[in-house]
C-alpha cells in the first residue's frame, strides 16, 4: 500500500460524484521529504470531523438552511477528495438571511440532542 492509498483509507471520500481532477494544479515547488515536518491529524479526529459535518448537513437540510464548504474544507474536497490530512476543522458558510434560523431554538436543540455545544457569536 502506498502513501496515497493509506491517506485515502484514513480520510475517505466524503464527496462522491465530483471529479476534482480538473481543479488540481499540484504543488508549485517540490520540497524534499527530509526537509519538512508534517503533522497529520489522527484517524479518530478525521472520523469525528466527518461525523460533525454529516450531522450538521442533516440538521441544516431538515431546517432548509443552505450552506457550502469554504476555506480548507473546499480545498480538501478538490485536492484530497475529503479532509486535508493536516486540517483539524471544517469550514462552512451560510447566508446571512439564515442567521436567525441557525440560532433558532429548534435548530439549537437538534444540535444539543447530538451532543453539540453552541456559542452565539456575531462577527458582523
Amino acid at each position: 500500500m502506498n502513501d496515497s492509498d493509506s491517506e485515502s483509507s484514513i480520510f475517505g471520500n466524503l464527496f462522491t460524484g465530483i471529479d476534482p481532477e480538473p481543479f488540481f494544479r499540484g504543488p508549485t515547488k517540490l520540497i524534499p521529504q527530509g526537509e519538512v515536518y508534517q503533522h497529520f491529524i489522527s484517524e479518530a479526529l478525521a472520523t469525528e470531523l466527518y461525523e460533525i459535518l454529516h450531522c450538521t448537513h442533516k440538521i441544516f437540510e431538515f431546517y432548509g438552511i443552505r450552506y457550502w464548504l469554504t476555506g480548507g474544507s473546499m480545498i480538501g474536497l478538490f485536492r484530497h477528495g475529503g479532509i486535508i490530512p493536516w486540517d483539524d476543522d471544517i469550514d462552512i458558510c451560510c447566508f446571512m438571511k439564515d442567521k436567525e434560523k441557525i440560532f433558532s431554538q429548534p435548530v439549537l436543540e437538534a444540535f444539543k440532542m447530538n451532543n453539540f455545544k453552541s456559542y452565539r457569536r456575531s462577527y458582523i
Side-chain angles (χ1 to χ4, degrees), residues 10-57:
I10 291 173
F11 299 101
N13 190 353
L14 180 64
F15 311 99
T16 57
I18 297 175
D19 179 17
E21 195 59 36
F23 301 94
F24 180 70
R25 299 288 182 251
T28 57
K29 178 180 177 187
L30 293 177
I31 301 171
Q33 188 171 3
E35 296 178 19
V36 177
Y37 171 77
Q38 184 63 59
H39 174 76
F40 290 84
I41 62 172
S42 68
E43 184 175 351
L45 178 55
T47 300
E48 186 175 354
L49 291 172
Y50 280 122
E51 289 170 357
I52 289 168
L53 183 58
H54 182 257
C55 183
T56 301
H57 170 75

Side-chain angles (χ1 to χ4, degrees), residues 7 13 22 27 29 55-56 64-65 72 76 79 87 91-92 96 102:
E7 179 182 306
N13 190 353
K29 178 180 177 187
C55 183
T56 301
I65 300 168
R79 192 169 62 192
D87 198 2
D91 307 301
I92 63 171
M96 282 298 295
I102 292 166

